[in-house]
Amino acid sequence: MQVGSRRGFLVAAAAVTASASVGACRRGEGASGGPLDVSAGADLPVAPESVAADGTTIVLGDPAAPLAVRLYEDLSCPACAEFETEGTAPYLKRAARNDALQLQFTLGSFLGPGSKFAANALRAAVDQNKFADYHELLYRHQARVRKSGGFTRDRLLELAVMIEGLRGPEFDAAVLDTKYRDFVEAADDAMGRSPAKGTPTMAINGTLVPPGSRAYYTDRSSLYRHLKKVARATG
C-alpha cells in the first residue's frame, strides 16, 4: 500500500493485495446478528453527517456511538484511494450506517492545493448530508483527476453533478470561494499534531492500528474480528 508521508510531502510506495474477503461475510461471522455484521448488499439508511465539536473532524454515523474509528486521509493520496475503493473503508461506512460505530475523518491536505480544494468541498458537502457519497465519488475518480493535474474547484463541481441533490447555489459558492478554508487548515494542522505519520492511518477508539496490522486496511474479516474484540472490551 502506498503511504503518503508528511515528511517532505512524499508518497512512498509499497505493495498491497486486497483480500478476496473484503466486503463479504464469512460463514459463521453473522451468527450474533450484531450491528457489525453487515453485508455489502444490506439495505441501510443514510448515516447522519456532522462536524465534531473540535471543528476539525467530520463524523459519519451516530456521534454517541461507543465504538469510534478515525481515518486520517488526504484526498490526493493514491493509497487512500486504494483503501477507500478496494480495502475495508466501504465496510466501515456500512457499519456506520448500521449504527455499529461512528466513523471519524481527519482530512489532511499536505499533498498540495488540490487536497485543500477537495477537503473544502467535502466540508461543504456535509451541509447537504452528501459527504459520504461525494467522498466515495472523489476517490473513485482520483486517479483520472491526478493525471489531469489534480483536483480544482471546477473539477470538483463537475464531479458533484453526479451526486443527486448536491449541486446548488450554496454548495457551488462554498467550493468556488473556498468557504471552509479555516476548517481545511485546522484539519491539516490536527493531522500534523496527531500520531499519524502517513495516510491512510486508522485509529480505533483512540488507538492507532499498529504497523504490523495492515490487514485491517485490506481484509474485512480481520477488521471485523478486531472491532468485535474492541467492542466487547468497551461494552
Side-chain angles (χ1 to χ4, degrees):
M1 176 174 290
Q2 295 173 325
V3 177
S5 171
R6 297 194 63 87
R7 296 174 181 172
F9 300 162
L10 300 177
V11 178
V16 60
T17 302
S19 167
S21 62
V22 170
C25 294
R26 291 182 177 176
R27 290 182 61 86
E29 285 188 348
S32 69
L36 285 169
D37 302 298
V38 57
S39 65
D43 184 15
L44 301 166
V46 175
E49 301 175 0
S50 59
V51 178
D54 62 12
T56 64
T57 302
I58 294 175
V59 180
L60 184 64
D62 182 0
L67 190 60
V69 178
R70 181 175 295 273
L71 301 177
Y72 296 91
E73 297 183 344
D74 186 306
L75 265 292
S76 300
C77 170
C80 293
E82 287 185 58
F83 168 61
E84 286 286 346
T85 59
E86 302 174 21
T88 55
Y91 164 70
L92 288 171
K93 287 180 177 176
R94 293 195 303 273
R97 292 174 62 187
N98 205 38
D99 293 331
L101 52 84
Q102 56 170 302
L103 192 54
Q104 306 168 337
F105 292 88
T106 300
L107 301 178
S109 51
F110 61 92
L111 291 177
S115 299
K116 295 183 183 296
F117 293 145
N120 174 74
L122 283 168
R123 170 60 186 86
V126 176
D127 296 338
Q128 313 300 325
N129 209 56
K130 299 292 183 180
F131 169 84
D133 292 340
Y134 194 42
H135 181 260
E136 177 186 349
L137 180 74
L138 295 188
Y139 274 124
R140 281 198 280 112
H141 288 267
Q142 187 212 74
R144 177 178 63 82
V145 171
R146 280 204 325 274
K147 291 178 182 178
S148 58
F151 290 112
T152 64
R153 296 177 179 94
D154 288 340
R155 289 193 183 104
L156 288 161
L157 290 177
E158 290 170 4
L159 289 169
V161 173
M162 303 179 192
I163 305 298
E164 184 178 359
L166 179 56
R167 288 290 302 269
E170 181 181 351
F171 176 80
D172 289 8
V175 173
L176 292 172
D177 299 338
T178 320
K179 176 181 179 180
Y180 293 109
R181 58 173 57 86
D182 289 346
F183 165 83
V184 172
E185 296 301 331
D188 191 53
D189 183 61
M191 181 178 287
R193 290 183 284 102
S194 77
K197 300 303 181 185
T199 56
T201 293
M202 183 189 306
I204 300 173
N205 277 13
T207 301
L208 286 185
V209 170
S213 300
R214 299 302 293 180
Y216 296 160
Y217 295 86
T218 61
D219 179 28
R220 181 253 187 234
S221 296
S222 295
L223 179 58
Y224 165 87
R225 288 191 295 268
H226 183 67
L227 290 173
K228 292 284 283 187
K229 180 180 179 180
V230 174
R232 285 194 298 267
T234 58

